[in-house]
Short mmCIF file of all heavy atoms in Angstrom, two decimals:
data_model
loop_
_atom_site.label_atom_id
_atom_site.label_comp_id
_atom_site.label_asym_id
_atom_site.label_seq_id
_atom_site.Cartn_x
_atom_site.Cartn_y
_atom_site.Cartn_z
N VAL A 19 91.52 96.44 93.06
CA VAL A 19 92.95 96.38 92.84
C VAL A 19 93.59 97.69 93.33
O VAL A 19 93.10 98.77 93.01
CB VAL A 19 93.30 96.12 91.38
CG1 VAL A 19 94.79 96.30 91.13
CG2 VAL A 19 92.84 94.75 90.98
N GLN A 20 94.66 97.57 94.09
CA GLN A 20 95.38 98.75 94.56
C GLN A 20 96.88 98.50 94.47
O GLN A 20 97.38 97.46 94.81
CB GLN A 20 95.02 99.08 96.01
CG GLN A 20 93.67 99.75 96.17
CD GLN A 20 93.49 100.31 97.56
OE1 GLN A 20 93.63 99.59 98.55
NE2 GLN A 20 93.19 101.59 97.63
N LEU A 21 97.58 99.54 94.02
CA LEU A 21 99.05 99.61 94.06
C LEU A 21 99.39 100.93 94.71
O LEU A 21 99.04 101.99 94.20
CB LEU A 21 99.68 99.53 92.68
CG LEU A 21 99.44 98.24 91.88
CD1 LEU A 21 99.98 98.39 90.46
CD2 LEU A 21 100.13 97.06 92.56
N VAL A 22 100.04 100.89 95.87
CA VAL A 22 100.33 102.09 96.63
C VAL A 22 101.81 102.22 96.84
O VAL A 22 102.42 101.41 97.55
CB VAL A 22 99.59 102.07 98.00
CG1 VAL A 22 99.87 103.36 98.75
CG2 VAL A 22 98.10 101.90 97.80
N GLU A 23 102.38 103.26 96.23
CA GLU A 23 103.82 103.51 96.34
C GLU A 23 104.14 104.36 97.56
O GLU A 23 103.33 105.18 97.97
CB GLU A 23 104.35 104.23 95.09
CG GLU A 23 104.14 103.48 93.79
CD GLU A 23 102.90 103.95 93.04
OE1 GLU A 23 101.96 104.45 93.69
OE2 GLU A 23 102.87 103.82 91.80
N SER A 24 105.33 104.18 98.10
CA SER A 24 105.83 105.01 99.17
C SER A 24 107.35 105.05 99.12
O SER A 24 107.97 104.25 98.42
CB SER A 24 105.34 104.50 100.54
OG SER A 24 105.83 103.19 100.79
N GLY A 25 107.96 105.99 99.86
CA GLY A 25 109.38 106.05 99.97
C GLY A 25 110.06 107.14 99.17
O GLY A 25 111.26 107.34 99.28
N GLY A 26 109.29 107.86 98.36
CA GLY A 26 109.87 108.96 97.59
C GLY A 26 110.19 110.14 98.49
O GLY A 26 109.81 110.20 99.65
N GLY A 27 110.93 111.09 97.92
CA GLY A 27 111.30 112.27 98.65
C GLY A 27 112.44 113.02 97.99
O GLY A 27 112.76 112.79 96.84
N LEU A 28 113.02 113.92 98.76
CA LEU A 28 114.14 114.74 98.30
C LEU A 28 115.45 114.20 98.85
O LEU A 28 115.55 113.96 100.06
CB LEU A 28 113.94 116.21 98.76
CG LEU A 28 115.07 117.20 98.44
CD1 LEU A 28 115.22 117.36 96.94
CD2 LEU A 28 114.76 118.53 99.09
N VAL A 29 116.40 114.00 97.98
CA VAL A 29 117.69 113.44 98.39
C VAL A 29 118.80 114.13 97.60
O VAL A 29 118.59 114.56 96.45
CB VAL A 29 117.72 111.90 98.17
CG1 VAL A 29 117.61 111.55 96.68
CG2 VAL A 29 118.94 111.26 98.78
N GLN A 30 119.98 114.22 98.18
CA GLN A 30 121.12 114.80 97.49
C GLN A 30 121.73 113.81 96.51
O GLN A 30 121.63 112.59 96.69
CB GLN A 30 122.19 115.23 98.48
CG GLN A 30 121.79 116.39 99.36
CD GLN A 30 122.94 116.87 100.24
OE1 GLN A 30 124.09 116.90 99.83
NE2 GLN A 30 122.62 117.24 101.46
N ALA A 31 122.37 114.33 95.48
CA ALA A 31 123.09 113.48 94.53
C ALA A 31 124.07 112.57 95.28
O ALA A 31 124.76 113.01 96.18
CB ALA A 31 123.81 114.31 93.51
N GLY A 32 124.11 111.31 94.87
CA GLY A 32 124.95 110.33 95.53
C GLY A 32 124.26 109.58 96.64
O GLY A 32 124.80 108.58 97.14
N GLY A 33 123.09 110.03 97.05
CA GLY A 33 122.35 109.39 98.12
C GLY A 33 121.53 108.22 97.65
O GLY A 33 121.56 107.83 96.50
N SER A 34 120.72 107.67 98.58
CA SER A 34 119.93 106.49 98.34
C SER A 34 118.49 106.66 98.80
O SER A 34 118.21 107.41 99.73
CB SER A 34 120.52 105.28 99.06
OG SER A 34 121.84 104.98 98.60
N LEU A 35 117.59 105.98 98.13
CA LEU A 35 116.21 105.87 98.55
C LEU A 35 115.73 104.45 98.27
O LEU A 35 116.22 103.81 97.37
CB LEU A 35 115.31 106.84 97.76
CG LEU A 35 115.33 108.31 98.13
CD1 LEU A 35 114.49 109.13 97.13
CD2 LEU A 35 114.81 108.53 99.55
N ARG A 36 114.77 104.00 99.05
CA ARG A 36 114.12 102.71 98.82
C ARG A 36 112.63 102.94 98.63
O ARG A 36 111.93 103.37 99.56
CB ARG A 36 114.36 101.76 99.99
CG ARG A 36 113.87 100.33 99.74
CD ARG A 36 113.78 99.58 101.05
NE ARG A 36 113.59 98.16 100.89
CZ ARG A 36 112.90 97.38 101.75
NH1 ARG A 36 112.38 97.90 102.84
NH2 ARG A 36 112.80 96.10 101.52
N LEU A 37 112.15 102.65 97.43
CA LEU A 37 110.72 102.76 97.12
C LEU A 37 110.04 101.43 97.42
O LEU A 37 110.59 100.37 97.21
CB LEU A 37 110.49 103.13 95.66
CG LEU A 37 111.19 104.39 95.15
CD1 LEU A 37 110.78 104.68 93.72
CD2 LEU A 37 110.90 105.59 96.04
N SER A 38 108.79 101.51 97.92
CA SER A 38 108.00 100.34 98.20
C SER A 38 106.68 100.45 97.48
O SER A 38 106.15 101.55 97.27
CB SER A 38 107.73 100.22 99.70
OG SER A 38 108.94 100.06 100.43
N CYS A 39 106.12 99.31 97.10
CA CYS A 39 104.81 99.23 96.46
C CYS A 39 104.03 98.12 97.12
O CYS A 39 104.42 96.95 97.09
CB CYS A 39 104.96 98.98 94.95
SG CYS A 39 103.39 98.71 94.10
N ALA A 40 102.92 98.49 97.76
CA ALA A 40 102.03 97.53 98.40
C ALA A 40 100.88 97.18 97.45
O ALA A 40 100.18 98.07 96.99
CB ALA A 40 101.49 98.11 99.69
N ALA A 41 100.72 95.90 97.15
CA ALA A 41 99.75 95.43 96.17
C ALA A 41 98.62 94.66 96.86
O ALA A 41 98.83 93.95 97.82
CB ALA A 41 100.42 94.54 95.13
N SER A 42 97.42 94.81 96.31
CA SER A 42 96.27 94.07 96.81
C SER A 42 95.21 93.96 95.73
O SER A 42 95.20 94.73 94.77
CB SER A 42 95.67 94.73 98.05
OG SER A 42 95.22 96.04 97.76
N GLY A 43 94.33 92.96 95.85
CA GLY A 43 93.21 92.79 94.95
C GLY A 43 93.46 91.91 93.74
O GLY A 43 92.60 91.80 92.89
N PHE A 44 94.61 91.27 93.68
CA PHE A 44 94.93 90.33 92.60
C PHE A 44 95.93 89.31 93.11
O PHE A 44 96.46 89.45 94.22
CB PHE A 44 95.44 91.03 91.34
CG PHE A 44 96.72 91.81 91.55
CD1 PHE A 44 97.94 91.24 91.23
CD2 PHE A 44 96.71 93.11 92.03
CE1 PHE A 44 99.13 91.94 91.39
CE2 PHE A 44 97.88 93.81 92.22
CZ PHE A 44 99.09 93.23 91.88
N ILE A 45 96.21 88.28 92.30
CA ILE A 45 97.15 87.24 92.72
C ILE A 45 98.55 87.73 92.47
O ILE A 45 99.11 87.62 91.36
CB ILE A 45 96.89 85.91 91.98
CG1 ILE A 45 95.42 85.48 92.20
CG2 ILE A 45 97.83 84.84 92.47
CD1 ILE A 45 95.01 84.29 91.38
N PHE A 46 99.15 88.31 93.51
CA PHE A 46 100.44 88.99 93.38
C PHE A 46 101.52 88.06 92.87
O PHE A 46 102.34 88.46 92.03
CB PHE A 46 100.83 89.59 94.72
CG PHE A 46 102.14 90.29 94.72
CD1 PHE A 46 102.26 91.59 94.27
CD2 PHE A 46 103.28 89.64 95.19
CE1 PHE A 46 103.50 92.23 94.27
CE2 PHE A 46 104.52 90.28 95.19
CZ PHE A 46 104.62 91.59 94.72
N SER A 47 101.56 86.83 93.37
CA SER A 47 102.64 85.89 93.02
C SER A 47 102.62 85.50 91.55
O SER A 47 103.64 85.01 91.05
CB SER A 47 102.55 84.65 93.89
OG SER A 47 101.30 83.97 93.70
N SER A 48 101.52 85.73 90.84
CA SER A 48 101.42 85.42 89.42
C SER A 48 101.72 86.61 88.52
O SER A 48 101.70 86.47 87.29
CB SER A 48 100.04 84.88 89.09
OG SER A 48 99.78 83.67 89.78
N ALA A 49 101.94 87.77 89.10
CA ALA A 49 102.09 89.00 88.35
C ALA A 49 103.54 89.35 88.09
O ALA A 49 104.42 89.14 88.92
CB ALA A 49 101.44 90.13 89.11
N THR A 50 103.80 89.87 86.88
CA THR A 50 105.05 90.54 86.62
C THR A 50 104.95 91.97 87.13
O THR A 50 103.99 92.70 86.76
CB THR A 50 105.37 90.52 85.11
OG1 THR A 50 105.60 89.17 84.71
CG2 THR A 50 106.63 91.33 84.81
N MET A 51 105.88 92.37 87.95
CA MET A 51 105.88 93.69 88.55
C MET A 51 106.97 94.54 87.93
O MET A 51 108.01 94.04 87.51
CB MET A 51 106.08 93.61 90.07
CG MET A 51 105.06 92.73 90.78
SD MET A 51 103.37 93.37 90.60
CE MET A 51 103.50 94.95 91.44
N ALA A 52 106.76 95.86 87.93
CA ALA A 52 107.72 96.75 87.32
C ALA A 52 107.66 98.12 87.95
O ALA A 52 106.66 98.52 88.57
CB ALA A 52 107.49 96.87 85.82
N TRP A 53 108.77 98.86 87.81
CA TRP A 53 108.81 100.26 88.16
C TRP A 53 109.05 101.06 86.86
O TRP A 53 109.91 100.70 86.07
CB TRP A 53 109.95 100.58 89.13
CG TRP A 53 109.69 100.08 90.54
CD1 TRP A 53 110.10 98.93 91.07
CD2 TRP A 53 108.94 100.75 91.54
NE1 TRP A 53 109.67 98.82 92.36
CE2 TRP A 53 108.96 99.93 92.69
CE3 TRP A 53 108.28 101.99 91.61
CZ2 TRP A 53 108.32 100.30 93.87
CZ3 TRP A 53 107.65 102.33 92.79
CH2 TRP A 53 107.68 101.50 93.90
N TYR A 54 108.25 102.09 86.69
CA TYR A 54 108.40 103.07 85.61
C TYR A 54 108.67 104.43 86.22
O TYR A 54 108.42 104.65 87.39
CB TYR A 54 107.15 103.13 84.75
CG TYR A 54 106.92 101.94 83.83
CD1 TYR A 54 106.48 100.72 84.34
CD2 TYR A 54 107.12 102.05 82.44
CE1 TYR A 54 106.26 99.64 83.49
CE2 TYR A 54 106.89 100.97 81.60
CZ TYR A 54 106.46 99.78 82.14
OH TYR A 54 106.23 98.71 81.29
N ARG A 55 109.13 105.35 85.40
CA ARG A 55 109.27 106.73 85.86
C ARG A 55 108.94 107.69 84.74
O ARG A 55 109.04 107.36 83.56
CB ARG A 55 110.68 106.98 86.39
CG ARG A 55 111.77 107.06 85.34
CD ARG A 55 113.13 107.19 86.03
NE ARG A 55 114.18 107.45 85.06
CZ ARG A 55 115.48 107.49 85.35
NH1 ARG A 55 115.88 107.29 86.60
NH2 ARG A 55 116.38 107.74 84.42
N GLN A 56 108.53 108.90 85.12
CA GLN A 56 108.19 109.93 84.16
C GLN A 56 108.62 111.29 84.69
O GLN A 56 108.18 111.72 85.74
CB GLN A 56 106.70 109.93 83.85
CG GLN A 56 106.31 110.88 82.73
CD GLN A 56 104.88 110.67 82.26
OE1 GLN A 56 104.06 110.16 83.01
NE2 GLN A 56 104.61 111.03 81.01
N ALA A 57 109.51 111.95 83.95
CA ALA A 57 109.94 113.30 84.25
C ALA A 57 109.03 114.28 83.50
O ALA A 57 108.44 113.93 82.48
CB ALA A 57 111.41 113.47 83.86
N PRO A 58 108.93 115.51 83.99
CA PRO A 58 108.08 116.51 83.31
C PRO A 58 108.45 116.68 81.85
O PRO A 58 109.62 116.83 81.51
CB PRO A 58 108.33 117.77 84.11
CG PRO A 58 108.73 117.31 85.46
CD PRO A 58 109.52 116.07 85.22
N GLY A 59 107.44 116.65 80.97
CA GLY A 59 107.67 116.84 79.55
C GLY A 59 108.23 115.65 78.82
O GLY A 59 108.52 115.75 77.63
#
């Protein structure tokens, strides 16, 4: 099973980014997918 994120980086306030996650090793169409985030501390 692999989940590989891409698209992160440095952006100015008000800007945009598009994150991508490539999945493999399981039946993707049957899965609930989510994005989480964690800031330091």
Side-chain angles (χ1 to χ4, degrees):
V19 171
Q20 284 191 305
L21 297 173
V22 182
E23 301 97 334
S24 61
L28 176 64
V29 65
Q30 292 185 38
S34 298
L35 284 173
R36 188 196 191 211
L37 305 184
S38 299
C39 175
S42 61
F44 62 95
I45 305 173
F46 179 82
S47 60
S48 297
T50 294
M51 304 298 297
W53 288 96
Y54 287 74
R55 71 186 189 186
Q56 187 168 24

